[in-house]
Amino acid sequence: MLVLWAGGDTASNADTASNADTACDDCPADTTSPTGSDELTDCVCNTGYSGPNGGGCSQCLPNTYSDTLGSSVCLERPTNSQSPAGSDASTDCICN
């Protein structure tokens, strides 16, 4: 899913269906933003990632997870369980 925010100087990513006069830029990798976003900081980390709003999101390491959009931190897995990198829910953690 391509998610855009209004900004930048080019119309290469213009959302012509809803706002032909506004240039839009892609949110950074591993982020998303709501419709009508107008600031880079509206781009927030996807679940399974952590980092500051606006980009620089990093995939959660193995044995951690993040089930919240935004600048939340990756949480430790429950005791006696493991999870793969990029886990986006506590249910990704499997008992040892």
Side-chain angles (χ1 to χ4, degrees):
M1 178 169 110
L2 180 63
V3 181
L4 308 171
W5 64 281
D9 299 324
T10 67
S12 62
N13 293 322
D15 183 357
T16 57
S18 64
N19 193 350
D21 296 331
T22 302
C24 293
D25 292 330
D26 293 345
C27 279
D30 307 315
T31 66
T32 190
S33 68
T35 302
S37 297
D38 60 359
E39 297 289 332
L40 178 59
T41 53
D42 292 334
C43 300
V44 298
C45 294
N46 293 328
T47 57
Y49 291 81
S50 68
N53 292 341
C57 298
S58 300
Q59 187 178 53
C60 291
L61 297 174
N63 300 318
T64 65
Y65 70 96
S66 173
D67 58 2
T68 306
L69 288 173
S71 60
S72 64
V73 298
C74 296
L75 304 170
E76 290 293 320
R77 63 173 170 27
T79 303
N80 299 319
S81 68
Q82 58 187 356
S83 65
S87 293
D88 60 4
S90 62
T91 54
D92 292 338
C93 302
I94 301 168
C95 291
N96 292 333

